[in-house]
Amino acid sequence: MEECIFCKIINKDLPASVIYEDERMIAFDDINPQAPVHVLLIPKEHFPSLNEIPEEKKDVLSHLLIKAREIAQEKGIAGRGYRIVLNTARESGQDVLHIHFHLLGGRQMTWPPG
Ligand code: DGP
């Protein structure tokens, strides 16, 4: 997806503060952090949102989630608590149409979310 900003980050056409990368995914700091820890985790394969992940690709999701847990541990927030957000489509507030988990932590979260 040539016009997708997250694909540009994957392809190194846009800079990002990369925390982790393997053949299937990349994790990097959010450009507009909403918490002391705010990391985005994305698959290298382009899917616009959760709605477009086919059943046979469901392992993509567990890989991202387990890596989010590892990063939370590495960042020292696993015991304190953290939040993983997956905005999906318009009413959720999803702006970037390349599926991404937000890993947020390092401060007290509130509920309900806005
Ligand atoms: P969402 O609203 O769920 O689609 O979140 C998109 C997030 O992506 C938002 O928190 C800001 C972040 N973001 C947008 N553009 C860039 C970028 O070019 N670089 C980085 N690191 N983050 C970006």
Side-chain angles (χ1 to χ4, degrees):
M1 293 293 289
E2 284 168 19
E3 70 281 12
C4 169
I5 55 171
F6 286 178
C7 286
K8 287 181 179 170
I9 288 173
I10 291 164
N11 294 328
K12 314 295 186 210
D13 293 328
L14 258 187
S17 173
V18 175
I19 289 165
Y20 174 80
E21 181 170 8
D22 64 27
E23 68 285 359
R24 285 187 285 168
M25 64 159 287
I26 187 168
F28 52 94
D29 287 322
D30 194 291
I31 204 168
N32 184 23
Q34 302 300 310
V37 175
H38 189 169
V39 175
L40 300 174
L41 300 99
I42 67 174
K44 288 190 171 175
E45 189 170 355
H46 181 92
F47 303 102
S49 80
L50 181 62
N51 288 336
E52 288 80 26
I53 298 260
E55 177 75 18
E56 66 270 19
K57 294 289 176 86
K58 63 187 178 188
D59 287 359
V60 166
L61 301 171
S62 55
H63 184 56
L64 292 168
L65 279 172
I66 293 298
K67 188 52 64 177
R69 182 181 69 179
E70 281 179 30
I71 292 172
Q73 289 164 346
E74 287 163 14
K75 297 272 186 186
I77 57 170
R80 294 171 57 188
Y82 55 90
R83 183 172 292 175
I84 293 172
V85 173
L86 176 57
N87 291 326
T88 303
R90 184 170 42 85
E91 286 193 0
S92 74
Q94 184 183 7
D95 287 326
V96 179
L97 293 178
H98 182 127
I99 187 173
H100 51 281
F101 285 107
H102 297 254
L103 167 63
L104 296 146
R107 67 167 169 82
Q108 180 63 52
M109 300 289 164
T110 59
W111 195 265

